[in-house]
Amino acid sequence: MAICLSKKNRIFGLHTNNTSYVFGVDGLGLIRHIYWGEKINDLDEFSLPVLCEVSTNDSVYEITPEEFPVYGGLRYKEHCLKVNFSDGTRELIYKYIGYEIKEEELIINLADTHYSFQINLHYKLYEEEDLIERWVSLKNSSEDIIEVEKIHSAQFHIPYENLNFSNVHGHWGAEQQRFTQRVSYGKMLVENRRGISTHNHNPYFILDKDATETNGEVFFGALRLSGNFSGVVEQTQYGETLVQMGINSHDFMLKLKPKKEFTAPSIISGYTNKGFEAMSHNLHNFAKKNLLRPGLRPVLYNSWEATEFKVNCEEQIRLAKIAKKIGAELFVVDDGWFGERNSIDKGLGDWYVDKDKFPKGLKPLIDEVKAMGMMFGIWVEPEMVNPLSQLYKDHVDWIYHFDTRETDTSRGQYVLNVTKPEVKEFIYNMLDSLLSTYDIDYIKWDANRPIAQSGTDKAIWYKHIEVIYDIVKELKKKHPKVLFEACASGGGRIDYGILGIFDDFWTSDNTDAYDRLKIQDSYSYIYPIKAMRAWVTDCPNFLSRRNIPIKFRYHSAMMGSLGIGCNILKFSKEDIKLSKELIEEYKKIRPIIQEGDFYRISSNSENNYHCFQYVKQEEAVLFVFLPQSKLGHRGIRVRLRGLQKDKVYSFNYNGQQLKMTGNYLMKYGIDLRLVGDYDSAIIHFSVL
C-alpha cells in the first residue's frame, strides 16, 4: 500500500515506486519528520527517539524536525504558519487530532489547543512519477476573524549539510538563467514581490548532493503559485537543511472569516538518487499526465514583428497566406487590433475592434484564415488599462490605488483590481463575448507590469492571481477548444500554478536563437517541453543585434512548440523554401519533441557544442548546435540516452544512411563535427 501507518508507533509512511517519505507523532504531540529518500518498505523499523534540549537556549521545540512548524512558544526557527487571534493572542499551540486517507491522499488533522482553529496537512502521492504533492488547509470554526500573517505550504527536511541549491535568476529579456550555489550557514531566500509576475526567480527549489545529470541525490519541489511567493533554504546548527516555500509574507495578511476555510497552494516535491535527468523526467511526466491538455501544439505564426501596432485586415491576410504556404497551422494577431491602440499608451481596456483597421470587424480575416485550414488566435492584456482609455475614464475606481496618492503608471498602464466583482465580471464577459462572436482558437494573454498601490486588503497579492485562474477556468468550460498562452512581458509567468490552466508558456521576449539555448535549457529542469513556446524571428535580433542563419534559428525554436514571428512579407524565395522544409521536418518529429522524454547531453569537446535529445518509444531526435568554432575545429562524440539497447536504429547523417544498435549509440556514441559559426544539425533515429 502506498500510504502506510504503524499504529503502534504513530508513524506514517508514504511510498512511491522508488521513494519513501516518513513522519510521525511524537510524545509531545508534535508532527516530526523522520525520513525522505530511497524506498524503505518496512515501516516498523522506524522509531521516534526522545529528543533532549541542548540547553535552555536550544529547547526541544527548536531542535525538533517538525513537519509543519508554527509560530509560538520557544520556537525561533522559520515557521510555516503565523496567525493572530481576535483576543490578541499571537501564537499557535497545536495538537494531533487524527488522520484521514482518501485514495492516494493522506490528511493529518491538527487543531489549536484553545481556539476553534484547525490545520490540515495534505499529502497526495503520484507513485509512478515518484512525487508527493503537499499543501495545508486552514479552517476557522470560531465566531471571530482570525488573521493569517504568514502561510508557507510545507517544510522539507534534508539530512545533509553543504548541499548545492539551484534556481534561476534574470530580468526581462534574460529570464531563466540557471545558477547553482553552495548552501552554508545563514538563510537563502528566493522570492517575488511584484504580484503579477517575476523574471528574477522562479517558485521552485533544487537541492543536490553533488549530483550530475544521471547520478546523485536530488531533492526538489515546485510551488503551484503565480505571483508573490517566497522560498527559504537554511542549513541549521543541528546537521540538516530545511526548505520552506509558499505565499510571500511580504505585505500579506489574510483575514479568515468565521466558518471559512483557506487552502494554500500546493508543492509538487520529489527525491531521486539518479540525478537531474530523473528529476526532470518525473516532473515532465507529471505535468503531461495530470496538467497539460492532450494533443499536439500547433505551429503558429504571430504577426507582431511584421506589423507591430500598424495592423490592418488586408496585410494580415497577406501574412496569413504566406504563413499557410510555409506550413503554419495557427495564425495569431498580436497587439494593436482594438480600441485606439496605435501605441503602448492608448486603447488598453477598450476591447472593441478598431474599425479603421478592420472596417468589417475581424470576421473577414478569420474567414480567410479558416478557409486556408488554419486556426486563429488573438492577443489580449485583460488585467491592464491605459489612463487614456475610455474604460478608465468611465471607471477610475477600478484600478489598484490609494485615494491620497498618485497611482504609478508602468509601460503607460494601470493594473485593474480584478478582485472587485464588477471588474472580474467585465473581464470574463469581454473575453466570452470575443470568443462567442468570433471563431477564435487561441488566446495569448499578456501582463506587462507589476502591481503597485495595492490597496488596504493585504491578501490582494494572492487573490489577484486566484481571480485570473478562475476567469480562465470558466472560459475554458464554455469554450473548451480554445488554447490559452501565459505571457507576462516575456517569461514572467512560468510556474506550476498556471500550468494546466494555461496551455503554453511564452518563455522570453528574447528570441535570439543562441540566447534561447540557455533559456530553454534552464527551463527544461522543471517545466515540460510541450508547454514551451519558441519562435523563429528576424535578424539582426532586436535585443542581441546578432545575425544568425535561418536554419540555426529554426533548429533552436524546433526544440519546443514551434512558432514563427518573422516579417515573412520580406522573405526571399530561398527563405520560403527552407522554412517550408524545416516546418515539415518539425511536424514529423513533433510528437517526439512535445510528448517524449527530454535529455540534456553533456559535451566532451573543446568546442562549445550544445546537445539535446528527445525519446518517444522507438524514435529519438538529437539536436546539435555549434554557435562558434574554436581553434582546431574539433568535433564531438555524442553518447545518446534512453534508447532500447537491443534494438537497431536507423538514421541519416551527412547524406549517409546508418544503422547502429541502441547499446552502441549509448555506450560508444556517434562522432559528429559541425563547422563554422552557428552550425546546427538534427538527427532522427528510428528502430528498424
Side-chain angles (χ1 to χ4, degrees):
M1 185 177 176
I3 299 174
C4 301
L5 169 63
S6 172
K7 293 185 178 179
K8 174 185 175 182
N9 298 322
R10 291 205 296 182
I11 291 175
F12 297 88
L14 309 175
H15 304 294
T16 66
N17 285 356
N18 299 291
T19 72
S20 291
Y21 189 97
V22 182
F23 61 89
V25 184
D26 72 8
L28 295 175
L30 303 177
I31 309 300
R32 191 198 299 182
H33 178 80
I34 299 174
Y35 175 78
W36 187 22
E38 196 171 356
K39 192 167 187 176
I40 300 175
N41 289 308
D42 190 352
L43 199 60
D44 289 332
E45 293 188 77
F46 290 99
S47 62
L48 282 165
V50 176
L51 294 177
C52 299
E53 62 182 25
V54 176
S55 71
T56 54
N57 283 294
D58 298 271
S59 70
V60 170
Y61 293 98
E62 187 71 1
I63 65 176
T64 298
E66 289 183 84
E67 273 289 283
F68 194 78
V70 297
Y71 177 83
L74 292 170
R75 294 181 182 91
Y76 305 98
K77 57 193 177 185
E78 286 288 332
H79 49 272
C80 288
L81 181 63
K82 184 178 182 182
V83 303
N84 304 320
F85 294 103
S86 60
D87 61 4
T89 301
R90 296 191 301 112
E91 73 170 9
L92 278 164
I93 302 176
Y94 70 78
K95 59 183 176 181
Y96 170 71
I97 301 299
Y99 71 93
E100 306 167 62
I101 296 177
K102 299 178 180 179
E103 296 180 355
E104 293 296 291
E105 181 183 343
L106 170 67
I107 306 169
I108 301 297
N109 307 124
L110 311 175
D112 189 85
T113 57
H114 178 79
Y115 301 94
S116 298
F117 181 68
Q118 291 82 47
I119 307 166
N120 299 307
L121 309 181
H122 299 256
Y123 303 78
K124 185 174 182 179
L125 296 183
Y126 299 90
E127 293 181 67
E128 291 184 9
E129 292 81 23
D130 284 328
L131 298 175
I132 301 173
E133 186 172 12
R134 291 184 59 188
W135 70 97
V136 60
S137 61
L138 310 176
K139 184 176 182 181
N140 179 5
S141 298
S142 75
E143 301 298 325
D144 301 305
I145 290 174
I146 298 174
E147 295 179 336
V148 181
E149 192 173 329
K150 178 183 178 181
I151 181 165
H152 273 181
S153 299
Q155 176 163 274
F156 299 89
H157 298 256
I158 301 168
Y160 298 120
E161 297 177 300
N162 301 311
L163 293 167
N164 302 303
F165 169 75
S166 301
N167 199 272
V168 290
H169 70 89
H171 53 78
W172 174 83
E175 303 93 323
Q176 297 289 323
Q177 303 294 301
R178 186 170 185 262
F179 71 90
T180 300
Q181 61 191 64
R182 185 73 77 173
V183 179
S184 187
Y185 294 105
K187 296 177 184 179
M188 298 168 55
L189 173 70
V190 289
E191 65 171 358
N192 172 39
R193 296 183 175 188
R194 299 166 190 253
I196 295 294
S197 61
T198 178
H199 305 78
N200 308 132
H201 299 296
N202 205 264
Y204 69 80
F205 70 87
I206 303 172
L207 287 160
D208 73 272
K209 191 169 171 55
D210 296 327
T212 66
E213 270 296 298
T214 55
N215 290 287
E217 293 184 278
V218 184
F219 302 82
F220 56 92
L223 179 67
R224 299 188 65 179
L225 172 66
S226 310
N228 283 13
F229 76 91
S230 64
V232 180
V233 180
E234 180 183 13
Q235 180 173 295
T236 75
Q237 292 80 8
Y238 310 109
E240 66 172 352
T241 301
L242 304 178
V243 189
Q244 286 184 19
M245 193 161 276
I247 298 170
N248 199 329
S249 58
H250 169 75
D251 196 40
F252 175 80
M253 177 74 77
L254 174 71
K255 294 185 178 181
L256 190 58
K257 295 179 180 179
K259 313 305 179 184
K260 294 295 184 180
E261 296 186 44
F262 176 76
T263 300
S266 65
I267 302 175
I268 306 295
S269 59
Y271 162 85
T272 179
N273 59 6
K274 296 180 180 178
F276 301 115
E277 182 178 283
M279 173 195 73
S280 297
H281 287 179
N282 289 345
L283 285 169
H284 293 185
N285 290 337
F286 166 80
K288 287 183 286 187
K289 182 177 178 181
N290 298 284
L291 301 180
L292 290 174
R293 182 195 301 236
L296 297 173
R297 298 294 179 263
V299 176
L300 70 77
Y301 176 78
N302 183 291
S303 64
W304 171 252
E305 288 200 4
T307 62
E308 295 190 351
F309 291 110
K310 298 175 183 177
V311 183
N312 67 70
C313 187
E314 291 75 19
E315 191 167 52
Q316 293 296 304
I317 291 172
R318 286 176 61 205
L319 286 164
K321 288 178 179 178
I322 302 173
K324 174 62 178 178
K325 185 176 182 179
I326 63 175
E329 300 161 315
L330 164 64
F331 184 83
V332 181
V333 177
D334 211 281
D335 199 353
W337 59 269
F338 56 91
E340 298 180 8
R341 187 69 168 172
N342 297 306
S343 70
I344 62 173
D345 299 313
K346 293 183 178 181
L348 206 58
D350 297 338
W351 298 105
Y352 58 86
V353 179
D354 186 330
K355 293 297 184 182
D356 292 331
K357 298 175 180 179
F358 298 91
K360 297 181 180 179
L362 293 174
K363 191 174 186 301
L365 170 60
I366 296 174
D367 287 347
E368 288 277 358
V369 169
K370 296 288 179 171
M372 298 178 210
M374 288 191 293
M375 303 162 66
F376 181 81
I378 204 157
W379 178 98
V380 293
E381 191 174 1
E383 297 161 75
M384 313 302 171
V385 63
N386 289 133
L388 297 177
S389 69
Q390 188 61 45
L391 180 70
Y392 178 67
K393 292 175 185 176
D394 293 341
H395 301 286
V396 294
D397 60 328
W398 277 15
I399 65 168
Y400 290 117
H401 70 284
F402 294 116
D403 291 338
T404 61
R405 302 298 182 200
E406 181 178 349
T407 306
D408 291 316
T409 56
S410 179
R411 203 175 184 262
Q413 301 172 180
Y414 296 135
V415 184
L416 290 171
N417 184 349
V418 301
T419 66
K420 285 177 172 279
E422 60 270 31
V423 178
K424 179 181 180 181
E425 183 180 18
F426 167 80
I427 293 173
Y428 174 84
N429 288 341
M430 177 272 292
L431 289 166
D432 177 46
S433 176
L434 190 66
L435 295 173
S436 299
T437 304
Y438 297 109
D439 189 4
I440 294 171
D441 305 281
Y442 193 91
I443 292 289
K444 181 170 184 176
W445 183 308
D446 211 342
N448 278 298
R449 62 151 293 178
I451 293 174
Q453 286 83 39
S454 58
T456 57
D457 183 357
K458 289 187 177 183
I460 209 82
W461 304 99
Y462 180 74
K463 291 178 180 178
H464 182 104
I465 193 61
E466 285 291 294
V467 171
I468 302 305
Y469 291 167
D470 288 344
I471 291 172
V472 178
K473 287 177 183 177
E474 289 303 311
L475 287 169
K476 290 177 91 170
K477 286 179 184 177
K478 187 171 181 182
H479 307 278
K481 73 167 187 174
V482 179
L483 292 162
F484 283 78
E485 176 185 320
C487 178
S489 192
R493 268 187 183 159
I494 294 177
D495 58 75
Y496 270 88
I498 213 158
L499 180 61
I501 298 170
F502 285 71
D503 304 289
D504 285 351
F505 288 146
W506 179 230
T507 323
S508 175
D509 282 347
N510 185 348
T511 55
D512 176 89
Y514 174 60
D515 286 348
R516 270 300 187 102
L517 294 181
K518 182 173 183 179
I519 291 170
Q520 293 169 184
D521 176 84
S522 298
Y523 166 103
S524 74
Y525 277 80
I526 299 293
Y527 299 106
I529 300 300
K530 185 175 182 177
M532 182 181 74
R533 271 291 166 191
W535 283 13
V536 182
T537 55
D538 288 324
C539 279
N541 183 270
F542 81 101
L543 269 178
S544 69
R545 311 312 301 166
R546 268 193 287 260
N547 278 299
I548 296 177
I550 193 169
K551 185 184 79 167
F552 190 103
R553 281 182 272 151
Y554 263 99
H555 284 177
S556 177
M558 287 163 69
M559 286 180 58
S561 292
L562 177 62
I564 298 92
C566 304
N567 185 354
I568 51 180
L569 295 173
K570 296 182 178 180
F571 266 19
S572 66
K573 289 183 179 179
E574 291 76 17
D575 291 336
I576 294 285
K577 180 176 181 292
L578 185 55
S579 294
K580 187 175 181 179
E581 291 172 355
L582 289 168
I583 292 171
E584 187 177 345
E585 181 183 9
Y586 175 76
K587 290 176 181 177
K588 291 177 181 176
I589 61 177
R590 170 169 50 181
I592 311 167
I593 291 168
Q594 293 189 13
E595 297 179 342
D597 292 328
F598 177 76
Y599 295 84
R600 295 171 290 265
I601 305 296
S602 60
S603 172
N604 61 355
S605 174
E606 285 295 316
N607 259 310
N608 190 26
Y609 282 90
H610 300 255
C611 304
F612 308 94
Q613 184 195 341
Y614 305 75
V615 176
K616 184 184 180 187
Q617 297 171 349
E618 295 191 333
E619 293 184 277
V621 176
L622 176 67
F623 285 76
V624 185
F625 299 91
L626 181 62
Q628 184 181 50
S629 284
K630 295 182 179 178
L631 188 66
H633 307 288
R634 294 187 186 179
I636 182 175
R637 179 174 297 167
V638 180
R639 294 180 178 88
L640 276 69
R641 302 275 306 147
L643 304 182
Q644 299 177 50
K645 67 178 182 178
D646 296 327
K647 296 291 181 70
V648 176
Y649 287 80
S650 174
F651 61 98
N652 188 290
Y653 178 60
N654 275 347
Q656 280 188 298
Q657 196 67 30
L658 303 171
K659 299 176 183 178
M660 296 176 184
T661 64
N663 189 49
Y664 178 86
L665 290 169
M666 290 190 292
K667 291 182 177 176
Y668 178 86
I670 54 174
D671 292 310
L672 306 175
R673 185 169 177 268
L674 303 184
V675 179
D677 294 345
Y678 299 116
D679 197 5
S680 59
I682 297 176
I683 305 173
H684 183 193
F685 301 81
S686 298
V687 169
L688 288 173

